[in-house]
Structures are given as C-alpha cells and as structure tokens.
C-alpha cells in the first residue's frame, strides 16, 4: 500500500489529485454501506489521500507566513472530527475541499512560451563591411556607426538607416502592417524586421539592448506585471471565517458542555460550497466558451472580462482579412479601357513576389475564372519600386509613381485628381505604364471581415465601447472606423503606443479587453486586463501572450463572450450567497443540537451539489437574440 501511494505521488499534480479523489470517493461510498464490515473505517482513505495534503498546506502557510486560508478551518474540523470518532464526517469534508482545490487548479494560467518565441526572433548574426571586405559577426558585436549589409530574406540585425540600395521591408513584427514598406537611402530600418527583396547597406544607430527588438521583448516581459490576479473568496474571507467558527464552537461547548455540538459547528462551517462557488462556475463558463470557439488560457480571464468597459481592436488581420485586394482600376489613356489596364497589370505582376503584385494576379484570376493570365516575358523585379515585363508585346511598368518618374514617363494631371479619393480611403496605388506612356492605376486595400460590422454592433449592445488601435496610417484607420461605426480610433500606433493607450485608459478606471492577431500586439494583449488573440490567423506569440484565443477567428462570438462573463459573475454571486446562508442556517441547527457531525457533513455536501448544479447551467447559456 505504501509503495502504491509513493508511486502515485510521483505522478504529475493533476493526475495524482484525480486518482486520489476517485479512491476517496469510492471509500466514502463504501463507508455509507456498513463501515463495520472492514477492519479499518473506509473513510480513513479519504482522510489520508485528501485530508493530509490540506493539513500540510495549512501548517506550512501558518508557520512560514502566518497565512490563514480556508484550509486552516478545514484542518481544525478534520482534527476535531477524528478526535471524537466522526471518521466519515472528516473524510467527507476532506473530499469536498480537495475537489474544489482540483477545480481551481484546472483553471489556473498555463505556462506560456511567448517570450521564448520572441527571443528566437532576435537576429543572431550580421554582415559587417570593413576595408578588408565583408565579415560575419555576432549581432551582439555590432557597434554604433558600423556599416552593415542585409541580403534578401535576412532579418535586420540592429536599428539604423539605409546608406545604399532599394528594398521592401516586412515590418509586421513592429507595426502589424500587412504590406511591406518600400525603403531607400536615408530611410530608417528596425531590428527584427525582414528584408524581402533587394539588398542594402546600412549604418548602425541603436545596437544591443537599445535596439527595437530588445526594447520590444522587455515590453512583453513587463506588460502584465500590474495585471491583478483574483484571489479565491474563501481564502480572502478565511481569517473571519476561522475566528467566527472557533468562537461559535467554543461558546457552544462552554454553554452546553457538549463537545459534539462544537465539532458539528466546525464541520458545517467548513467553506466547501464557498470554495466550489467560483471554480465550478468558471469551469462551466469555460466549457460554454469552448463550444463557441474560444480557448480560455487563463483561469480567471472570464472573471476579469466581466468588468471591462472598452474593447480595443487591432485592424490588420483582426477587423480586416490581412491581405490586400484590388478595389478599383482606372484608365488614364482614352485609347485603353480599364479592363485592358487590369489585364496588363495582372500579366506584369504574374511572377511578382511582392504581396501587392500577388494580390493583383490573384484578384484577376478570381474575377476571370478559367481564363489564363496574359503571358509575360523579360520579367524583372525592381526592389522598392515595382516590376517590369513584356506583356502581349507591350513594355509594361507597374509600381510606385516614383518608378514612372525615374523612367521619365510623364504623369497626366488626372492621375493625382482621380487617385485622391482612393488615397483618402487608405488605399495603396500601383501605377501602370505601357510602351513609355502612363496607362492607368490600380487601388488596393485590405478588406474588412464580413462579420466585423456585426461584431461591433454586438459589442456596443453589450454595453462596451469599441476602440480601434492600428499601426496603419490615418486615412486607412479613419476609413475602417467610419465603415464599422467605431467611435474612437488611433492610427500610426507602434507596440509601445498601444501599450501606453491601454495603460492610460486603465489608470483612468476604464478596464480594457484587447483583441489582436500579430506579433506587434503581444505587449498590448498582456497589458490589457484581458487579451483575446485571433488563434486561426494570429501569430503563435500573440496567442501565447493572450488570456483567450479565438480558435476559428469568428469575431461574431465576441459579444457572446462578454455576456457570458457577466452571467458567470452573477452565478458566482448567487452561489456565494446561497452557500453562506446555508452555512449559517446549519450553524444554528448545530448549536441547538439538531445536527450531529455526520448529518452536518451531509447537509453542506448537499449545498455543494446545489452549487455545482447551478454552475452547470452556464454550459447552456446563450443570450436571447444572439
């Protein structure tokens, strides 16, 4: 038997607790039949397996920090029950308390690997240019003023500015922008961002711990330092419960002279139902949330979510699809239709590696199913500018207005006037020239998710204010906010800007729930009272930093989650009120001698069952009309 218990103790905590509870439950069930059939009362199994850990935890807490928790009163009740021979009562109390402890353990936060993932993003090496040529050095060895070279596909090792070369930089790590940004001499580049196409030379400005990626890692590490963890109410009130229980038991013993009444008071005063009130409701609510596509990673996340007054949304990949699409095609040549401009652009971009180029080709294919892309020859990428190719025998340039200016192609006045409405909506333009003359332009923009508008309406209906925080420029942010009727927005947000906005809001007494998907959202997801990550399209780092992950990316379920969290808190309050009322009623009956320890244990066991049943109703919760 001893070897068996030792082998169980070597298991992981949750598995061991489950086995102990099963064995204890069986022992209590058997003891209800006829304990006299056994040489030792079966309830001793529950006392040893479930009660001894409670006793040890109570003693350690008292000795090391004089920390009075609910387990102190439970320990007193266990010892008193055993002392007067009420073995079943002692075993039953130990079983219920250990069950509540297991449920709480199952709802605690999981270990997160977000910081480790971020550290892996940190560049390891750099190419330093010297008089002797190019050398590979550790990124930590780069010093301010060093001249570095970054090739296509490599990560920028430190912060600095470009000295020579044209390229496109993927800045999603730092800004969340869905599209790479074209860079040239004099433009700044940040560590951790990825060089996509052209090689360039740069001068190091901020290195080591001062670089952007290192500052970002420190933001993520410290962002949740001030996020309060909710303490169990049974433990929060434990000191008063212990004082009241001991006082009532002592007075009853002194007045009546019957120690069994005093022990009964200690047994019925054990906060079993109180301990179960919160974790059972949380577990049921988590089960409900799981059915609606949410993975709740933090045990008290729903409890915190019930108090938020603002929901801040990232734009790219959260409210939008995160991929550009062609929204307009305009011809600037009377001899060409917009369909011909579109066809030439799709042919020129057919072999492009740039996200904008791929978007043009993909949209053309989608709008012309079964029709092959126009053939192209002599294709050439022009990093930071665009592409050139021969399509249907015409020399085609597709890219930025600067590309046309460099090639000496005059831009008609109507280009600026006709492009203004699209630029004001935050669109990106691809200008097209054919055979040395401006032919037209395409406007591309990130597309709003189909369910985004419904989500924003649902959030407002739940009494919460939606807010847009995005790294995109003012026009794009304003367009999305207006389209979705979001009253508050902020554009050009770096990770620290989102962090500061959330911190100011929460300091002002407006708890925030942050919804995001990108690596750049990780600090904000941690800083917010509750972080919700888009689990399907979101980065692993964002999911690791969040309290809740939306697995299927269906934003329409977010209002349900807000309402569920509030219903859960209402259920917890009902549970607490009922359990306390039951305890005080049982105390009065114990004082008068109506209840003995065994019956008292059964009474508050029934109370625990009713608490569990009430919590289980959360599994089927669904707000009417949602």
């Amino acid at each position: 038997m001893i070897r068996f218990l030792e082998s169980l103790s070597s298991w992981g905590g949750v598995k061991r607790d489950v086995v102990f509870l099963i064995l204890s439950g069986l022992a209590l069930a058997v003891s209800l039949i006829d304990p006299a059939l056994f040489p030792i009362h079966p309830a001793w199994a529950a006392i040893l397996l479930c009660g001894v850990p409670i006793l040890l935890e109570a003693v350690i807490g008292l000795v090391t920090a004089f920390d009075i928790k609910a387990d102190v009163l439970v320990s007193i009740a266990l010892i008193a029950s055993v002392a007067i021979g009420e073995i079943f009562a002692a075993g039953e109390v130990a079983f219920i308390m250990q069950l509540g402890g297991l449920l709480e353990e199952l709802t605690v936060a999981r270990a997160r690997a977000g910081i480790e993932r971020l550290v892996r993003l940190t560049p390891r090496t750099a190419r330093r240019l010297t008089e002797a040529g190019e050398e590979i050095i550790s990124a930590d060895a780069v010093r301010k003023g060093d001249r570095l070279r970054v090739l296509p596909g490599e990560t920028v090792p430190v912060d600095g500015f470009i000295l020579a070369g044209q390229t496109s930089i993927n800045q999603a790590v730092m800004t969340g922008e869905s599209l790479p940004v074209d860079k040239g001499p004099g433009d700044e580049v940040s560590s951790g961002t990825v060089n996509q196409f052209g090689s360039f030379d740069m001068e190091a400005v901020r290195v080591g711990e001062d670089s952007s990626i290192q500052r970002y890692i420190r933001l993520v590490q410290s962002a949740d330092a001030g996020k309060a963890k909710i303490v169990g109410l049974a433990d929060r009130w434990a000191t008063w419960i212990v004082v009241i229980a001991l006082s009532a038991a002592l007075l009853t013993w002194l007045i009546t002279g019957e120690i069994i009444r005093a022990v009964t008071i200690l047994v019925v005063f054990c906060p079993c139902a109180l301990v179960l009130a919160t974790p059972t409701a949380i577990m049921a609510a988590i089960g409900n949330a799981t059915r609606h596509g949410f993975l709740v990673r933090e045990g008290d996340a729903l409890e915190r979510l019930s108090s938020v007054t603002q929901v801040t949304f990232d734009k790219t990949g959260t409210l939008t699809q995160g991929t550009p699409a062609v929204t307009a095609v305009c011809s600037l040549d009377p001899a060409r239709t917009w369909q011909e401009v579109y066809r030439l652009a799709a042919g020129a971009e057919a072999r492009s590696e740039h996200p904008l180029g791929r978007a043009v080709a993909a949209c053309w294919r989608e709008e012309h199913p079964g029709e092959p892309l126009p053939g192209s020859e002599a294709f050439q990428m022009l990093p930071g500018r665009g592409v050139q190719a021969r399509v249907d025998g015409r020399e085609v340039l597709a890219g930025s207005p600067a590309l046309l200016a460099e090639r000496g192609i005059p831009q008609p006045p109507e280009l600026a006037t006709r492009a203004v409405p699209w630029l004001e909506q935050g669109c990106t333009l691809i200008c097209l020239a054919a055979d040395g003359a401006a032919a037209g332009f395409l406007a591309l923009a990130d597309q709003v998710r189909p369910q985004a508008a419904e989500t924003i309406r649902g959030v407002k209906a739940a009494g919460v204010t939606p807010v847009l925080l995005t790294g995109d420029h003012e026009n794009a942010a304003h367009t999305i906010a207006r389209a979705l009727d979001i009253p508050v927005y902020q554009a050009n947000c770096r990770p620290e800007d989102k962090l500061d906005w959330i911190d100011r809001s929460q300091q002002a007494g407006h708890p925030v729930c942050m919804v995001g998907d990108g690596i750049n959202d990780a600090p904000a997801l941690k800083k917010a009272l509750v972080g919700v990550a888009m689990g399907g399209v979101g980065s692993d780092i964002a999911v690791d930093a969040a309290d809740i992950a939306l697995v299927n990316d269906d934003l329409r379920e977010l209002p349900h989650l807000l309402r569920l969290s509030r219903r859960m808190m209402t259920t917890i309050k009902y549970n607490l009120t009922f359990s306390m009322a039951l305890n005080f009623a049982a105390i009065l009956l114990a004082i008068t001698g109506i209840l003995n320890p065994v019956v008292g244990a059964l009474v508050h066991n029934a109370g625990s069952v009713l608490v569990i049943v009430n919590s289980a109703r959360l599994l089927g919760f669904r707000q009417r009309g949602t």
Side-chain angles (χ1 to χ4, degrees):
M1 181 65 178
I2 294 175
R3 290 181 180 177
F4 176 68
L5 291 176
E6 288 177 348
S7 65
L8 285 178
S9 298
S10 64
W11 285 13
V14 173
K15 289 183 179 179
R16 182 190 61 217
D17 291 346
V18 169
V19 171
F20 282 8
L21 281 169
I22 292 174
L23 293 176
S24 298
L26 291 173
L28 290 172
V30 169
S31 66
L32 286 173
I33 300 172
D34 188 359
L37 296 175
F38 303 91
I40 300 176
H41 199 298
W44 272 107
I47 295 173
L48 293 175
L49 295 176
C50 296
V52 171
I54 295 174
L55 287 169
L56 291 175
E57 188 173 345
V59 171
I60 292 172
L62 282 172
V63 172
T64 59
F66 198 68
D67 188 13
I68 300 177
K69 294 183 177 179
D71 52 20
V72 174
L73 180 56
V74 176
S75 300
I76 295 172
L78 282 174
I79 295 172
S81 297
V82 171
I84 66 170
E86 296 291 350
I87 307 303
F88 176 82
E92 189 271 342
V93 168
F95 175 80
I96 291 295
M97 291 300 296
Q98 199 70 339
L99 176 61
L102 175 64
L103 291 176
E104 285 187 308
E105 187 177 351
L106 292 174
T107 61
V108 298
R110 299 178 182 179
R112 292 166 293 181
I115 301 300
E116 295 177 8
R117 295 178 188 272
L118 275 176
V119 170
R120 288 199 292 270
L121 287 177
T122 305
R124 294 284 186 267
T125 61
R127 299 174 184 272
R128 183 164 62 187
L129 301 178
T130 65
E131 294 180 357
E134 180 182 304
E135 62 177 349
I136 306 296
I137 62 172
S138 167
D140 295 334
V142 176
R143 296 293 176 261
K144 183 177 179 180
D146 283 353
R147 186 184 178 106
L148 308 174
R149 176 164 293 166
V150 184
L151 302 182
E154 292 183 342
T155 301
V156 179
V158 296
D159 295 1
F161 60 89
I162 295 177
L163 298 172
Q166 301 283 346
T167 188
S168 293
I169 300 290
N170 184 341
Q171 301 185 143
V173 169
M174 303 307 298
T175 67
E177 293 176 273
S178 57
L179 301 176
V181 179
D182 296 335
K183 301 277 188 177
D187 290 333
E188 292 185 358
V189 289
S190 300
S191 59
T193 59
V194 180
N195 180 30
Q196 290 207 309
F197 304 116
S199 64
F200 63 88
D201 297 344
M202 62 174 288
E203 180 177 325
V205 175
R206 289 186 295 274
V207 301
E209 293 298 316
D210 293 329
S211 67
S212 296
I213 190 66
Q214 291 300 324
R215 295 200 311 273
Y216 179 70
I217 290 173
R218 290 197 297 273
L219 280 178
V220 176
Q221 288 173 328
S222 63
D224 66 342
K227 185 185 289 185
K229 300 299 181 183
I230 295 174
V231 180
L233 286 173
D235 287 337
R236 188 182 305 164
W237 297 343
T239 301
W240 291 108
I241 292 174
V242 169
V243 171
I244 294 172
L246 289 177
S247 300
L250 181 60
L251 288 173
T252 301
W253 184 17
L254 292 176
I255 293 172
T256 66
E258 298 182 28
I259 192 172
I260 194 167
R261 295 193 188 189
V263 174
T264 304
I265 290 174
L266 294 176
V267 171
V268 298
F269 219 132
C270 280
C272 295
L274 189 63
V275 168
L276 292 172
T278 298
T280 54
I282 290 177
M283 291 295 290
I286 288 175
N288 183 305
T290 301
R291 293 208 310 272
H292 289 273
F294 292 97
L295 172 62
V296 181
R297 299 171 50 80
E298 295 277 3
D300 63 344
L302 293 178
E303 195 167 356
R304 286 183 267 121
L305 184 64
S306 66
S307 64
V308 302
T309 59
Q310 294 178 321
V311 175
T312 59
F313 293 90
D314 173 52
K315 182 183 80 70
T316 306
T318 301
L319 293 177
T320 66
Q321 302 281 14
T323 54
V326 176
T327 59
V329 181
C330 295
S331 173
L332 301 175
D333 184 351
R336 287 190 174 91
T337 64
W338 69 266
Q339 290 91 342
E340 185 179 357
V341 171
Y342 197 4
R343 175 183 170 83
L344 291 176
E349 299 282 12
R351 288 189 283 170
S352 174
E353 298 176 7
H354 196 285
L356 287 176
R358 291 201 300 266
V360 170
C363 290
W364 193 89
R365 288 192 187 96
E366 185 177 338
E367 296 175 21
H368 300 80
E371 185 177 343
L373 274 169
S376 64
E377 300 174 339
F379 173 82
Q380 183 179 353
M381 283 287 299
L382 306 172
R385 289 293 184 265
V387 300
Q388 68 178 31
R390 187 178 300 111
V391 182
D392 292 343
R394 298 181 176 87
E395 296 294 333
V396 176
L397 289 172
S400 65
L403 175 61
L404 274 60
E406 287 177 359
R407 299 301 177 93
I409 298 173
Q411 300 179 23
E414 59 265 30
L415 171 60
T417 56
R418 297 183 65 179
V420 166
W422 305 109
L423 292 174
E424 289 179 345
Q425 295 179 31
C427 295
T428 301
L429 298 186
I430 293 180
C431 296
L432 193 79
D435 294 330
F441 67 86
L442 288 75
L444 292 91
D446 198 358
Q447 300 299 294
V448 175
R449 287 179 179 270
Q451 66 268 37
E454 181 181 343
T455 300
I456 298 301
R457 288 194 298 270
V459 168
K460 289 181 176 180
V464 179
T465 302
V467 179
L468 175 64
L469 300 179
T470 177
D472 272 354
H473 51 80
E474 175 70 23
N475 288 343
H478 175 73
T479 299
I480 295 294
R482 182 178 58 187
L484 298 178
D485 195 23
I486 297 176
V488 182
Y489 73 91
Q490 184 168 325
N492 301 309
C493 288
R494 298 169 299 174
E496 53 264 41
D497 295 327
K498 294 182 180 180
L499 202 66
D500 290 343
W501 193 97
I502 291 173
D503 186 46
R504 289 195 307 271
S505 181
Q506 296 190 151
Q507 290 290 338
H510 303 293
V512 173
C513 169
M514 173 69 190
V515 183
D517 73 299
I519 295 173
N520 67 304
D521 294 321
L525 288 167
K526 273 201 165 187
K527 185 65 178 179
L529 189 63
V530 181
V532 179
M534 306 290 284
V537 301
S539 73
D540 290 341
I541 293 172
V543 172
D544 286 336
D547 304 301
I548 301 171
L550 181 52
V551 178
N552 58 12
D553 289 339
D554 188 354
L555 276 175
R556 290 173 295 182
E557 295 293 348
L558 184 61
H560 169 74
L561 190 69
L562 293 170
R563 295 187 179 95
L564 174 64
S565 67
R566 293 173 182 175
R567 176 58 66 89
M568 183 194 77
M569 289 307 298
T570 300
T571 300
I572 289 174
K573 291 174 183 177
Y574 284 156
N575 286 346
L576 294 173
T577 302
F578 168 77
S579 61
M580 292 301 293
L582 180 65
N583 272 15
F584 280 107
I587 287 172
L588 294 176
L589 294 175
I591 291 174
T592 58
I594 297 175
L595 294 183
N596 60 38
V598 173
V599 177
L602 292 175
V603 167
H604 79 69
N605 188 21
S608 300
V609 171
L610 290 175
V611 164
I612 294 173
V613 170
N614 188 45
S615 296
R617 296 172 62 231
L618 285 168
L619 289 169
F621 170 75
R622 180 71 177 179
Q623 187 80 13
R624 289 184 179 179
T626 64

